[in-house]
Amino acid sequence: MPRKSLPLEEVYGLLEPGPVVLLTTAGSERPNIMTMSWHTMMEFEPPLVGCVISDRNYSFGLLDASGECVINIPTVEMSETVVGCGNTSGADTDKFTTFHLTPVPAALVGAPLIAECHANLECRVVDRQMVASYSLFVLEVVKAWIDPAVKHPRTLHHRGYGNFMVAGETIKLRSKMK
Amino acid sequence: MPRKSLPLEEVYGLLEPGPVVLLTTAGSERPNIMTMSWHTMMEFEPPLVGCVISDRNYSFGLLDASGECVINIPTVEMSETVVGCGNTSGADTDKFTTFHLTPVPAALVGAPLIAECHANLECRVVDRQMVASYSLFVLEVVKAWIDPAVKHPRTLHHRGYGNFMVAGETIKLRSKMK
């Protein structure tokens, strides 16, 4: 995809709607991918994101060791990939190969971007005080990329047990809310 | 609405898709309502929810003082209310009266449910260690209510500056993910 840099102050608009994301991490053998839904914006700029990653996930160790990751946002065309990455473990699966995904080097972190996703957020871990108690990492988005052709991404939103809501229409209301 | 108790283990399915919510708090003069999008699940059961509530919001003081709130989930029919509650302050506005909303007493907390919302989650603050640094409150959902007639709620998801994505179709994929 023809990737374009997104101003960091606009990052919240990608994550605030609550999409399922694919988190990539670098590893000594190979990079890994995990499917994740438990995240929230915590600050506009620099953009901070809180995400809960259980230590039962293979990605927990990779994120903890490297302190870096990329949040990739998939759309409905990638739904089988989203479920596949959620149902397998990086301990015994090379997910990029298994799910035919294309790793692209990031600009500022060691974890790769997923080329097939319309948005990619390069992140560094900036606070681990809630990792021991809640597995909550605070990430700072240091570089953001989007496919400018995707204006209304049909993101996936997990309702539980494989039920996903697909993003519908966008409406514009007279709001002063950022 | 004919409200029904929802098992606490099913609460995550309401919040994980990332809807805009209306947070109610009790006050000495009157209850307040704020529009909120920065929240994430943190544990399945008991359900824990992390939410970021800036101290610039009138609700910050009410939540901090009472330690209780209700997370109410609106659907697209309530979009003007969602924006109205986001553009006004409880410091000078009685939002239940202004936006013609019906307060219903909660079972376990002092903050009221909003009758017009299809789901209501009664919450207690259980951890404040990240309030000073990030305005992040950890809430435990102690009682959950839904309107059982609403199977596929057309929730609102904020993209920024008054642009809201409206929940579209639900698809079922073969997933082992809870």
Side-chain angles (χ1 to χ4, degrees):
Chain A
M1 83 180 201
R3 225 172 295 276
K4 184 186 141 195
S5 186
L6 181 76
L8 293 178
E9 65 186 31
E10 296 178 25
V11 161
Y12 78 95
L14 295 171
L15 291 180
E16 191 167 314
V20 174
V21 301
L22 297 172
L23 187 98
T24 48
T25 40
S28 54
E29 292 182 52
R30 54 176 182 250
N32 193 37
I33 309 173
M34 75 169 275
T35 300
M36 181 178 82
S37 272
W38 288 12
H39 58 77
T40 180
M41 289 304 301
M42 294 179 65
E43 186 54 85
F44 286 109
E45 196 180 6
L48 299 182
V49 182
C51 34
V52 178
I53 297 171
S54 163
D55 59 11
R56 294 184 301 274
N57 288 302
Y58 186 71
S59 293
F60 179 94
L62 298 183
L63 178 61
D64 202 36
S66 67
E68 298 179 343
C69 62
V70 177
I71 296 173
N72 304 273
I73 309 181
T75 42
V76 65
E77 301 78 14
M78 295 179 70
S79 56
E80 294 296 336
T81 299
V82 166
V83 169
C85 286
N87 285 347
T88 51
S89 171
D92 55 22
T93 307
D94 179 335
K95 301 202 195 179
F96 273 97
T97 302
T98 302
F99 300 108
H100 311 290
L101 297 171
T102 313
V104 176
L108 300 179
V109 303
L113 318 181
I114 299 175
E116 288 76 8
C117 290
H118 77 283
N120 317 88
L121 310 174
E122 303 185 19
C123 300
R124 291 203 183 101
V125 176
V126 290
D127 196 325
R128 299 167 193 257
Q129 63 174 292
M130 299 259 282
V131 172
S133 43
Y134 298 102
S135 300
L136 179 82
F137 290 86
V138 181
L139 309 176
E140 178 180 337
V141 180
V142 293
K143 183 76 189 165
W145 303 97
I146 56 161
D147 176 351
V150 179
K151 299 293 185 199
H152 301 284
R154 297 193 69 210
T155 46
L156 295 162
H157 301 253
H158 193 223
R159 291 197 194 281
Y161 296 104
N163 290 293
F164 292 85
M165 177 272 279
V166 183
E169 60 178 325
T170 296
I171 58 175
K172 170 80 179 163
L173 300 168
R174 278 186 303 174
S175 173
K176 291 179 277 187
M177 290 186 286
K178 184 179 182 186
Chain B
M1 81 181 202
R3 222 170 297 275
K4 184 187 140 195
S5 186
L6 180 76
L8 292 178
E9 65 187 30
E10 296 178 24
V11 162
Y12 78 95
L14 295 171
L15 291 180
E16 191 167 313
V20 174
V21 301
L22 297 172
L23 187 100
T24 49
T25 40
S28 54
E29 292 181 53
R30 55 176 182 249
N32 194 35
I33 308 173
M34 77 169 274
T35 301
M36 182 177 82
S37 272
W38 288 13
H39 57 77
T40 180
M41 288 305 301
M42 293 178 65
E43 186 52 85
F44 286 109
E45 195 178 6
L48 299 182
V49 182
C51 35
V52 177
I53 297 172
S54 163
D55 60 9
R56 295 184 301 274
N57 287 303
Y58 186 71
S59 293
F60 179 95
L62 299 183
L63 177 61
D64 201 37
S66 67
E68 297 178 345
C69 63
V70 177
I71 295 173
N72 305 273
I73 309 181
T75 41
V76 64
E77 301 78 16
M78 295 178 70
S79 55
E80 293 296 336
T81 299
V82 166
V83 169
C85 286
N87 286 347
T88 51
S89 170
D92 55 22
T93 306
D94 179 336
K95 300 202 193 180
F96 273 97
T97 302
T98 303
F99 300 108
H100 311 289
L101 298 171
T102 314
V104 175
L108 300 178
V109 302
L113 318 181
I114 299 176
E116 287 77 9
C117 289
H118 77 282
N120 317 87
L121 310 174
E122 302 185 20
C123 300
R124 292 202 183 103
V125 177
V126 291
D127 196 324
R128 298 167 193 258
Q129 63 174 291
M130 298 259 282
V131 171
S133 41
Y134 298 103
S135 300
L136 179 82
F137 291 86
V138 181
L139 309 175
E140 178 179 338
V141 180
V142 293
K143 183 76 190 168
W145 303 98
I146 55 160
D147 176 351
V150 180
K151 300 291 185 199
H152 301 283
R154 298 193 68 211
T155 45
L156 295 162
H157 301 253
H158 193 223
R159 292 197 195 278
Y161 296 105
N163 290 294
F164 292 87
M165 178 271 281
V166 183
E169 61 177 326
T170 295
I171 59 176
K172 171 79 180 163
L173 300 169
R174 279 187 301 175
S175 173
K176 293 178 276 187
M177 289 186 287
K178 183 179 182 186

